[in-house]
Amino acid sequence: MSRGKPVTRPTRPRAPRPVFPFAVTLRATAMIFEGDGRPVLYICAEDHGSMPRPYRVPEDARVTVTAPRPLPDVHGRMLLPAGSCAAFETATARTVLHLRAVRACRELLEAVEAHAQAVQAWRAARAHFENHAGNGEGAA
């Protein structure tokens, strides 16, 4: 047996870990304000057994939606074409969820836009509060 260099096997790149384990289909999206006033996105997604589960979207997640544009303007239930999806990505994780209904897609787009505006307003309010608290004015 040779005592030279150790033998290493080539490794295949691994798929990134999932942001939402076991989730496959997006069903609902909501923006909720937590106790400190911070806006957070939550989703409800089904797993392979059609069991809905709630998930908290990480703050650093980037959301990409692939769907027909413009979305059909319908009041009843309408399904999206195959291939419509929403991708949630962080620096270390990625999950792609199927989008089946126009309602779920529209709900996600509206929630992501509202969340972006709410985060900006929350940061501005937080900075204003911290600035005044540092000057001794504080909250009454």
Side-chain angles (χ1 to χ4, degrees), residues 31-33 37-41 110-126:
M31 183 181 67
I32 299 173
F33 291 94
R38 179 178 313 184
V40 178
L41 278 178
E110 290 172 0
V112 167
E113 179 65 30
H115 179 258
Q117 292 174 2
V119 166
Q120 186 177 13
W122 179 79
R123 286 183 180 152
R126 193 78 183 162

Side-chain angles (χ1 to χ4, degrees), residues 17-24 43 45-48 51 53-56 93-95 97:
R17 67 180 181 84
V19 178
F20 312 118
F22 310 112
V24 292
I43 64 165
E46 286 184 355
D47 61 12
H48 289 286
M51 292 296 300
R53 296 180 185 198
Y55 296 96
R56 184 180 193 269
R94 183 171 198 264
T95 294
L97 300 176

Side-chain angles (χ1 to χ4, degrees), residues 71-78 102-103 106:
L71 287 173
D73 190 23
V74 294
H75 297 293
R77 182 175 180 174
M78 183 169 183
V102 170
R103 178 205 50 83
R106 187 172 286 120

Side-chain angles (χ1 to χ4, degrees), residues 50-112:
S50 297
M51 292 296 300
R53 296 180 185 198
Y55 296 96
R56 184 180 193 269
V57 178
E59 291 181 15
D60 64 336
R62 191 176 123 208
V63 181
T64 307
V65 176
T66 304
R69 189 167 176 192
L71 287 173
D73 190 23
V74 294
H75 297 293
R77 182 175 180 174
M78 183 169 183
L79 299 179
L80 288 170
S84 299
C85 63
F88 296 83
E89 285 184 272
T90 65
T92 59
R94 183 171 198 264
T95 294
V96 177
L97 300 176
H98 299 287
L99 283 172
R100 303 253 191 247
V102 170
R103 178 205 50 83
C105 183
R106 187 172 286 120
E107 194 174 82
L108 174 64
L109 293 172
E110 290 172 0
V112 167

